[in-house]
């Protein structure tokens, strides 16, 4: 066991230390609670307990409170007092859900916070340990990974769960994540603030969400303050969040999310909106799990009686902790005396302690990437599907590959044969899905000017080459992670863009098209700036070189009801773009019923 040892307080600190002693001794710490919200269900998962000093004290703010504790060598005492104050008030208010309470790793290792002591305290105030999440905060480098891992394991044995706080800020919390395998990981607010404007932050959070899925941890984003941040986090797969946008810390906290439903990204059926994308839950097989303490003999009997049973999940209080693999257990029991030796021992001894556990709402494409990147055994033995961290069922590599094949066949069926891009059906489905999710999007309609005369003059092969150039440039222009490109047919394309710099991307694309399209004309036509063709009445007509027009409509939540309405709006924007000379971009900036717009061309 360790104890907190701080440097002696400097001269002049005596009054500060006496005040801190009185605050703790007189139980004048003031807990406040901030809701942690399930960003998919729109419900409150639990509350983080935060602490304040007395309102009339110079130590009212948490920063001053803990600075005084550090200088007065009272961090351990204050840490434990805060934990107890938050837990007692949480129980008094009879708040629903989980309690997240901060604790320093060094405090957790101290004798005063040993598992038995915390268990007795929680029992005394009537708070179930399974509802308490110990949120580890780091204020200094910590190298005691082994004793900390042993201590958190003991606390988990008493029903408590572990969270890692401020991911991305601390000295070594990525190492702590690997060592402790926490149940929750809280993403530091630095990576949340203005995430919708910072691609690097997006990539970081996307990577953390992937790691969380693979490790079985639940990711919580802190410091959400704007609707744009909230939408981006939801799109990146962050399931839980907290911040001023959702609710502020209060002494008597809300039990309902105070925002209007229409302001939330799940309004209008976010889950339903995702149903056009097959999810891991669509592969679910109902396999009855075994509790970790059940003897191996029980698992052996199930395998022996059911030849189709390939694996048995192992759970502890509903949370998946391992996987018993058929071939491993049967081969082990086939060896002399092994059945007698291990048959009565708990199945957790023979289980694979690092199964692949995936969220039920992971898309099949994301799941495929996880399985391919993981070890081959996950494809053979299957994976565990969980919801809110609890066991739901199993999936097999065979079912996953079959679903991927179905999707590929479907994509091929509706793809444009020339460019391979999605055709009308997936374009319309994607637009409707974005509308259902109330996701703001920029819709771009791309069309070549004077394409038919060019095709007649140069031949269909040259026409196909020009169409393929547009497809290539659109794909090069968009953000592959966020945007969508479809081929309506002929020389018409649609792009659905969520990247904030969409206008710069489109302008660069037009410049690039101007450079590359020139190579598709003869020297004489390039020199003349156009070509001569016969008009409908047979008279010769001079047309400028084929150019590209982009009509843009910015779609906001609730502005349009279906892809039909968006199709009409973008067709009008494209018509306006074609009136401009050269490679042109027209952006419809009017709201429905307004009377002004802005266009630009080159």
């Amino acid at each position: 066991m360790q104890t907190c040892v701080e440097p002696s307080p400097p001269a002049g600190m005596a009054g500060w230390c006496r005040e801190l002693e009185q605050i703790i001794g007189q139980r004048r710490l003031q807990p406040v609670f901030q809701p942690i919200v399930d960003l998919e269900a729109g419900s409150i998962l639990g509350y983080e307990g935060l602490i304040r000093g007395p309102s009339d004290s110079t130590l009212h703010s948490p920063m001053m409170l803990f600075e005084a504790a550090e200088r007065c060598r009272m961090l351990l005492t204050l840490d434990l007092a805060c934990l107890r104050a938050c837990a007692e008030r949480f129980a008094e208010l009879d708040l629903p859900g989980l309690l997240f309470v901060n604790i320093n790793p060094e405090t957790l290792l101290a004798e005063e916070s040993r598992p038995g002591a915390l268990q007795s305290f929680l029992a005394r105030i009537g708070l179930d340990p399974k509802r308490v999440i110990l949120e580890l905060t780091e204020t200094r480098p910590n190298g005691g990974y082994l004793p900390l891992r042993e201590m958190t394991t003991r606390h988990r044995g008493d029903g408590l769960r572990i969270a890692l706080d401020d991911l991305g800020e601390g000295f070594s919390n990525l190492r702590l994540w690997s060592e402790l395998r926490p149940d929750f990981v809280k993403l530091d607010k630095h990576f949340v603030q203005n995430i919708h404007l910072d691609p690097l932050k997006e990539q970081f959070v996307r990577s953390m969400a992937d790691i969380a899925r693979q490790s079985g941890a639940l990711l919580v984003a802190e410091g959400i303050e704007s609707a744009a941040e909230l939408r981006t986090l939801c799109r990146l797969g962050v399931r839980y969040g907290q911040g001023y946008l959702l609710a502020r810390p209060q002494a008597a906290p809300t039990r309902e999310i105070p925002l209007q439903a229409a302001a939330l990204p799940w309004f209008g059926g976010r889950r339903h909106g995702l149903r056009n994308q097959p999810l891991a839950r669509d592969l679910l097989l109902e396999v009855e799990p075994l509790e970790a303490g059940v003897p191996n003999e029980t698992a052996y009997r199930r395998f022996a009686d059911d030849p189709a049973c390939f694996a048995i999940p192992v759970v502890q209080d509903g949370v998946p902790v391992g996987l018993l693999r058929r071939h491993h257990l049967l081969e082990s029991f086939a060896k002399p005396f092994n059945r007698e030796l291990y048959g009565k021992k708990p199945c957790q001894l023979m289980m694979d302690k690092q199964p692949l556990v995936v969220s039920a709402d992971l898309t099949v494409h994301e799941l495929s990437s996880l399985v391919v990147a993981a070890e081959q055994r996950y494809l053979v033995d299957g994976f565990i599907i969980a919801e809110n961290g609890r066991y739901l069922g199993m999936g097999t590599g065979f079912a996953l590959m079959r679903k991927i094949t179905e999707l590929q066949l479907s994509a091929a069926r509706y793809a444009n044969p020339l460019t391979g891009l999605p055709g009308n059906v997936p374009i319309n489905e994607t637009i409707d899905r974005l509308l259902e999710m109330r996701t703001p999007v920029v819709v771009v309609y791309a069309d070549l000017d004077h394409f038919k005369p060019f095709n007649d003059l140069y031949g269909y092969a040259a026409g196909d080459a020009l169409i393929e150039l547009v497809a290539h440039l659109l794909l090069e222009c968009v953000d592959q992670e966020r945007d969508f490109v479809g081929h309506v047919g002929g020389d018409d394309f649609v792009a659905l863009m969520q990247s904030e710099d969409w206008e710069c991307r489109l302008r660069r694309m037009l410049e690039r098209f101007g450079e590359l399209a020139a190579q598709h004309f003869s020297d004489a036509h390039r020199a003349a700036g156009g070509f001569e063709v016969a008009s409908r009445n047979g008279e010769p007509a001079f047309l400028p070189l084929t150019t590209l027009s982009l009509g843009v409509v910015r779609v906001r939540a609730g502005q349009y009801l279906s892809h039909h309405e968006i199709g009409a709006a973008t067709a009008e924007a494209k018509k306006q773009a074609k009136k401009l000379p050269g490679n042109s971009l027209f952006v419809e900036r009017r709201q429905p019923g307004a009377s002004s717009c802005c266009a630009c061309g080159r």
Side-chain angles (χ1 to χ4, degrees):
M1 294 292 184
Q2 299 180 12
T3 56
C4 290
V5 177
E6 301 295 338
S8 300
M13 286 292 299
W16 217 1
C17 297
R18 280 196 301 272
E19 184 177 1
L20 183 58
E21 287 177 352
Q22 290 174 356
I23 289 172
I24 296 174
Q26 297 171 10
R27 300 167 63 87
R28 296 172 61 204
L29 292 169
Q30 299 178 352
V32 294
F33 299 91
Q34 185 174 33
I36 295 174
V37 177
D38 184 329
L39 299 179
E40 182 167 302
S43 59
I44 292 178
L45 171 73
Y47 300 83
E48 180 178 359
L50 303 167
I51 211 72
R52 305 286 185 266
S55 57
D56 59 352
S57 169
T58 57
L59 303 182
H60 173 67
S61 76
M63 184 178 297
M64 294 295 290
L65 196 65
F66 279 88
E67 183 180 345
E70 184 170 8
R71 294 191 180 189
C72 298
R73 300 173 58 190
M74 295 176 63
L75 271 180
L76 171 61
T77 304
L78 177 61
D79 222 18
L80 290 174
C82 291
L83 186 153
R84 291 179 178 129
C86 288
E88 287 172 347
R89 186 59 179 156
F90 183 84
E92 287 174 12
L93 292 171
D94 194 24
L95 291 174
L98 306 175
L99 169 64
F100 289 72
V101 59
N102 293 283
I103 190 168
N104 193 285
E106 293 184 19
T107 303
L108 198 65
L109 292 170
E111 183 69 28
E112 293 86 341
S113 58
R114 65 189 185 279
L118 284 180
Q119 182 82 354
S120 300
F121 164 70
L122 294 174
R124 190 164 63 252
I125 65 173
L127 188 57
D128 187 347
K130 293 178 182 178
R131 297 178 60 198
V132 178
I133 315 297
L134 298 178
E135 197 169 305
L136 300 184
T137 59
E138 260 193 305
T139 57
R140 64 191 61 232
N142 177 44
Y145 297 109
L146 180 58
L148 191 58
R149 184 168 66 235
E150 293 174 348
M151 183 58 69
T152 54
T153 300
R154 291 177 59 191
H155 279 294
R156 279 176 165 144
D158 285 341
L160 295 157
R161 283 183 281 176
I162 303 297
L164 184 61
D165 193 24
D166 294 333
L167 178 71
E169 184 189 52
F171 294 94
S172 55
N173 48 20
L174 280 177
R175 169 78 183 270
L176 277 176
W177 191 348
S178 174
E179 293 282 354
L180 303 185
R181 302 298 171 96
D183 305 281
F184 293 86
V185 173
K186 302 191 77 176
L187 190 65
D188 183 65
K189 63 183 179 181
H190 166 77
F191 295 97
V192 173
Q193 291 173 345
N194 293 320
I195 185 174
H196 57 293
L197 303 176
D198 192 330
L200 186 59
K201 288 183 179 180
E202 260 199 49
Q203 186 56 54
F204 179 88
V205 174
R206 184 182 289 110
S207 299
M208 294 306 100
D210 287 342
I211 295 173
R213 279 191 290 267
Q214 293 187 56
S215 68
L218 302 178
L219 195 62
V220 181
E222 297 182 299
I224 303 173
E225 296 185 2
S226 74
E229 292 169 352
L230 181 59
R231 283 194 300 269
T232 302
L233 291 166
C234 288
R235 179 173 52 77
L236 294 175
V238 178
R239 179 68 184 269
Y240 303 99
Q242 66 184 106
Y244 285 177
L245 176 71
L246 301 168
R248 290 176 176 268
Q250 294 177 325
T254 179
R255 296 169 186 256
E256 301 288 339
I257 301 174
L259 285 179
Q260 294 294 320
L264 300 172
W266 54 80
F267 175 73
R270 178 173 181 268
R271 182 186 294 275
H272 174 73
L274 289 172
R275 295 307 291 162
N276 289 326
Q277 301 181 39
L279 307 177
R281 66 172 69 250
D282 297 324
L283 308 176
L284 191 118
L285 292 174
E286 293 185 3
V287 179
E288 185 179 353
L290 291 177
E291 285 290 333
V294 170
N296 286 312
E297 182 66 27
T298 303
Y300 174 79
R301 287 292 181 190
R302 278 185 57 180
F303 283 132
D305 295 341
D306 184 3
C309 182
F310 60 96
I312 302 174
V314 181
V315 300
Q316 190 162 0
D317 297 324
V319 177
V321 294
L323 189 69
L324 289 166
R325 294 178 285 153
R326 178 187 184 87
H327 56 88
H328 172 73
L329 191 139
L330 293 184
E331 286 177 8
S332 177
F333 271 35
K335 296 177 181 178
F337 308 115
N338 267 19
R339 186 172 177 183
E340 291 78 7
L341 285 172
Y342 298 107
K344 295 182 180 180
K345 293 185 177 180
C347 61
Q348 62 185 2
L349 295 178
M350 297 193 71
M351 71 183 184
D352 177 356
K353 294 180 177 61
Q354 292 184 321
L356 181 60
V357 180
V358 302
S359 167
D361 292 324
L362 199 66
T363 68
V364 165
H365 287 295
E366 291 171 324
L367 174 59
S368 175
S369 298
L370 274 183
V371 172
V372 170
E375 299 177 33
Q376 184 177 353
R377 59 194 172 100
Y378 297 135
L379 194 60
V380 176
D381 299 321
F383 44 88
I384 294 174
I385 300 174
E387 187 168 45
N388 296 331
R390 303 187 68 79
Y391 175 75
L392 199 63
M394 284 203 65
T396 67
F398 173 76
L400 174 61
M401 293 303 102
R402 183 171 59 187
K403 178 60 71 174
I404 290 293
T405 302
E406 289 174 3
L407 292 174
Q408 289 173 338
L409 290 173
S410 177
R413 179 183 177 188
Y414 293 115
N416 185 280
L418 175 61
T419 61
L421 291 174
N424 285 326
V425 171
I427 290 172
N428 294 337
E429 287 179 347
T430 304
I431 291 174
D432 286 338
R433 182 166 64 249
L434 290 169
L435 292 177
E436 288 177 3
M437 294 169 65
R438 301 180 66 83
T439 302
V441 64
V442 171
V443 183
V444 184
Y445 196 148
D447 184 29
L448 288 167
D449 307 312
H450 312 303
F451 175 71
K452 186 177 185 308
F454 171 87
N455 199 62
D456 292 341
L457 181 64
Y458 284 91
Y460 74 88
D464 285 353
L466 201 57
I467 289 173
E468 289 177 324
L469 173 63
V470 176
H472 170 74
L473 291 177
L474 276 171
L475 289 172
E476 191 179 71
C477 156
V478 302
D479 182 340
Q480 295 289 344
E481 294 289 337
R482 308 178 63 184
D483 302 337
F484 171 95
V485 177
H487 190 169
V488 177
D491 58 321
D492 292 354
F493 294 83
V494 167
L496 308 175
M497 303 182 71
Q498 297 182 64
S499 42
E500 284 74 17
D501 59 343
W502 58 268
E503 191 164 356
C504 291
R505 290 173 180 267
L506 294 176
R507 290 186 185 282
R508 287 197 299 267
M509 178 202 167
L510 288 175
E511 292 176 0
R512 188 72 175 141
F513 179 83
E515 296 168 0
L516 297 178
Q519 303 171 14
H520 292 255
F521 296 90
S522 67
D523 292 341
H525 289 157
R526 279 199 301 272
F531 48 85
E532 199 171 81
V533 295
S535 63
R536 290 183 179 179
N537 59 12
E539 295 295 325
F542 182 83
L543 297 176
L545 298 179
T546 302
T547 53
L548 182 63
S549 293
L550 304 178
V552 174
V553 174
R554 296 180 298 172
V555 178
R556 296 176 175 81
Q559 187 177 356
Y560 295 94
L561 299 178
S562 72
H563 66 267
H564 298 290
E565 293 185 6
I566 289 179
T570 52
E572 179 60 30
K574 180 197 71 169
K575 189 183 300 182
Q576 297 298 324
K578 293 177 82 68
K579 293 179 181 179
L580 301 172
N583 297 306
S584 59
L585 170 66
F586 176 89
V587 181
E588 176 57 80
R589 301 186 186 276
R590 296 175 298 178
Q591 297 294 317
S595 59
S596 64
C597 62
C598 175
C600 49
R602 58 172 47 85

